[in-house]
Amino acid sequence: AQSVTQLDSHVSVSEGTPVLLRCNYSSSYSPSLFWYVQHPNKGLQLLLKYTSAATLVKGINGFEAEFKKSETSFHLTKPSAHMSDAAEYFCVVSESVGSSASKIIFGSGTRLSIRP
Amino acid sequence: KAGVTQTPRYLIKTRGQQVTLSCSPISGHRSVSWYQQTPGQGLQFLFEYFSETQRNKGNFPGRFSGRQFSNSRSEMNVSTLELGDSALYLCASSVLRGGGETQYFGPGTRLLVL
């Protein structure tokens, strides 16, 4: 069965320090994995996606994520947090089911706070 | 290229009423998906339309329905509104469908049911 677990509901870091948002997934097939960011009162924006190419995926705003099949993880990282990174982050798994359907599951979200 | 647009942005209804939300996908995108976002349940998938046909459906009651037009614009309808239907309804479009396709989200319609 397909599922996504974001291990932390809230992460708080100081500006300029590294960010780590954790995501574990389970999938019966080779999934595609995404990270989306949602700023307050704004829509969801794609940060990056993994679709069975390079396991280290670089996204926008300095974020990157590494697909680790052995650990079934797709953690999101950024070397140095910026105040503008404060937002809600969603890990998403998507897989094709047959030729006529796909399943998309969102994680519960991680709220990232940045301390000055 | 214009992004995904949703109308209206905000809506207030009372219990028992019905509501129709509209979504215009990015030009050239043929797949439109709908999601409900609430503080308690997070983001939940409602359904997906592709080429005017519902291809995928989440776990919502039959009060929630939708359709897609030949120009790929989509509408979502909720009948007999309940208080628990208060949520942010998000629409997302993608070029094709299937796993691996990037979805682009609209700003959402915030529905308040009184």
Side-chain angles (χ1 to χ4, degrees), chain A residues 20-76:
Chain A
L20 170 63
L21 305 183
R22 298 182 294 167
C23 173
N24 284 98
Y25 71 94
S26 68
S27 175
S28 302
Y29 305 100
S30 296
S32 295
L33 296 160
F34 305 78
W35 276 97
Y36 283 87
V37 60
Q38 187 177 34
H39 287 91
N41 299 314
K42 292 194 176 179
L44 283 155
Q45 181 185 20
L46 177 71
L47 276 178
L48 49 81
K49 74 173 184 179
Y50 165 78
T51 54
S52 73
T55 55
L56 182 62
V57 183
K58 293 188 183 297
I60 62 171
N61 300 337
F63 284 94
E64 61 182 40
E66 186 171 7
F67 174 71
K68 291 187 176 180
K69 188 173 182 177
S70 60
E71 299 175 11
T72 59
S73 69
F74 190 57
H75 301 334
L76 181 71

Side-chain angles (χ1 to χ4, degrees), chain B residues 4-56:
Chain B
V4 178
T5 57
Q6 292 186 246
T7 56
R9 292 294 311 278
Y10 303 92
L11 204 49
I12 300 176
K13 292 284 188 179
T14 57
R15 277 183 301 174
Q17 287 187 308
Q18 68 92 28
V19 67
T20 299
L21 311 181
S22 180
C23 171
S24 292
I26 292 172
S27 177
H29 287 197
R30 295 169 61 194
S31 171
V32 173
S33 297
W34 288 90
Y35 296 85
Q36 182 196 65
Q37 185 178 25
T38 60
Q41 299 294 323
L43 266 159
Q44 292 184 284
F45 172 72
L46 279 156
F47 30 63
E48 178 197 6
Y49 285 86
F50 183 79
S51 294
E52 302 176 63
T53 302
Q54 188 181 89
R55 302 289 184 161
N56 205 2

